[in-house]
């Protein structure tokens, strides 16, 4: 009788085991466990502090401490994805696996972000054309791109007359030119984008009423002709630089 009862109990127990779904058995084997992750600079021993860590795109694991570590209190065994975002470092993704025998902490290396060096002393077109050198000598009146933009699209004739004190005179067809003080027939030389356009053969100077400040990158006005334009007469000069 006792033997029969013992056999019955054994069969019942076996039946319970067999009745337990396989996925429940696996879940018991894959119980969540604490996981430690450590992050450092690639190729270096420098730990990465303050990196924001997430697991499987859904678990916010927090930020790394002064040792470059973060702890996830409970993480199921198996494969996972880790993402790290740290200032000065490239965006980081990696796979890792957690199991009963996984050594902790798991180590990850992140590449530092290398910023392209900013070019220093790169010459602008105006610099190459000598604008800055002439401006430093302060022998004329100079207008930079910022000043010209602030002039609100005025005609160049108005800018030179009001802001530079230039002598603006009328041409044969009511054009506006710069002339020497007290001598309206002595017209100033004009250089446009580095090319002298007046005096040039029988051409007239450009009409300054038709040149507007918002199209210009720089303007130079000389009451007395500068030395590098000595073949342009003695009535002063205007250098006009257009935006490209």
């Amino acid at each position: 009788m006792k033997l029969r009862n013992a056999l019955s109990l054994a069969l019942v127990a076996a039946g319970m085991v067999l009745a337990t779904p396989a996925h429940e058995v696996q879940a018991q084997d894959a119980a969540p466990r604490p996981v430690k992750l450590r992050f450092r600079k690639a190729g270096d021993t420098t730990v990465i502090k303050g990196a924001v860590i997430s697991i499987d795109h859904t678990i916010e694991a927090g930020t790394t401490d002064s040792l470059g570590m973060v702890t996830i209190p409970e993480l199921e065994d198996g494969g996972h994805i880790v993402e790290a975002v740290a200032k000065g470092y490239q965006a980081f993704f990696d796979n890792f696996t957690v199991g009963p025998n996984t050594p902790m902490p798991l180590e990850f290396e992140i590449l530092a972000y290398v910023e392209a060096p900013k070019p220093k002393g790169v010459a602008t077109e105006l610099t190459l054309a000598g604008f800055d050198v002439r401006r430093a000598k302060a022998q004329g009146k100079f207008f930079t791109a910022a000043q010209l933009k602030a002039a609100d699209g005025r005609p160049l004739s108005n800018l030179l007359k009001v802001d530079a004190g230039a002598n603006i005179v009328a041409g044969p067809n009511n054009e506006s030119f710069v002339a020497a003080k007290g001598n309206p027939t002595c017209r100033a030389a004009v250089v446009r984008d580095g090319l002298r356009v007046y005096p040039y053969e029988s051409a007239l100077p450009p009409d300054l009423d038709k040149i507007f400040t918002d199209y210009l990158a720089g303007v130079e006005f000389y009451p007395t002709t500068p030395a590098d334009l000595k073949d342009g007469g003695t009535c002063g000069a205007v250098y006009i630089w257009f935006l490209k």
Side-chain angles (χ1 to χ4, degrees), residues 143-167:
F143 296 91
T144 64
Q147 291 171 312
L148 292 164
K149 185 176 181 181
D152 296 326
R154 282 191 278 162
L156 183 54
S157 55
N158 179 269
L159 179 79
L160 292 174
K161 180 178 181 179
V162 175
D163 295 10
N167 182 26

Side-chain angles (χ1 to χ4, degrees), residues 10 13 29 32 34 38 43-44 46 57 73 75 77 79 87 94 110 135 142 144 158 162 174 176 180 182 216 223 244:
D29 292 340
R38 179 160 56 204
D44 199 326
T46 304
H57 308 298
L75 195 64
D77 286 355
K87 186 177 181 180
D94 202 357
I110 306 180
R135 187 180 175 203
F142 289 75
T144 64
N158 179 269
V162 175
N174 231 17
S176 288
L216 303 178
K244 302 301 182 185

Side-chain angles (χ1 to χ4, degrees), residues 23 31 36 42 48 83 87 121 125 145 162-163 171 179 181 203 213 244:
H23 71 272
K36 292 182 180 291
I48 301 175
E83 177 181 358
K87 186 177 181 180
E125 186 174 347
V162 175
D163 295 10
K181 288 285 186 179
T213 54
K244 302 301 182 185

Side-chain angles (χ1 to χ4, degrees), residues 32-238:
R33 67 183 75 247
V35 172
K36 292 182 180 291
L37 309 177
R38 179 160 56 204
F39 298 84
R40 56 190 171 86
K41 183 179 177 181
D44 199 326
T45 58
T46 304
V47 298
I48 301 175
K49 307 177 219 179
V52 179
I53 310 301
S54 60
I55 306 297
D56 298 333
H57 308 298
T58 57
I59 302 172
E60 300 298 331
T63 58
T64 53
D65 59 19
S66 59
L67 299 177
M69 293 183 60
V70 68
T71 300
I72 301 97
E74 291 188 344
L75 195 64
E76 291 185 354
D77 286 355
H80 298 279
I81 299 171
V82 59
E83 177 181 358
V85 178
K87 186 177 181 180
Y89 291 85
Q90 297 182 19
F92 177 82
F93 296 87
D94 202 357
N95 298 314
F96 67 96
T97 303
V98 175
N101 301 316
T102 303
M104 298 292 170
L106 293 169
E107 299 275 353
F108 299 95
E109 292 189 348
I110 306 180
L111 290 170
Y113 176 74
V114 180
E115 188 174 354
K118 295 179 180 178
K120 296 181 179 179
V122 175
T124 64
E125 186 174 347
L126 285 183
T127 299
L128 293 173
F131 182 91
D132 295 330
V133 173
R134 292 189 294 272
R135 187 180 175 203
K137 294 178 181 178
Q139 294 176 347
K141 180 68 177 179
F142 289 75
F143 296 91
T144 64
Q147 291 171 312
L148 292 164
K149 185 176 181 181
D152 296 326
R154 282 191 278 162
L156 183 54
S157 55
N158 179 269
L159 179 79
L160 292 174
K161 180 178 181 179
V162 175
D163 295 10
N167 182 26
I168 303 297
V169 298
N173 298 309
N174 231 17
E175 309 96 329
S176 288
F177 307 137
V178 172
K181 288 285 186 179
N183 189 354
T185 61
C186 187
R187 295 169 180 160
V190 180
V191 177
R192 175 173 173 159
D193 290 332
L195 178 67
R196 194 182 76 197
V197 294
Y198 180 83
Y200 180 75
E201 297 179 354
S202 60
L204 289 172
D207 184 356
L208 302 182
D209 280 339
K210 295 181 180 178
I211 299 174
F212 298 92
T213 54
D214 48 2
Y215 291 100
L216 303 178
V219 172
E220 308 171 42
F221 166 61
Y222 301 92
T224 304
T225 310
D228 59 349
L229 200 61
K230 58 185 178 182
D231 58 345
T234 58
C235 302
V238 179

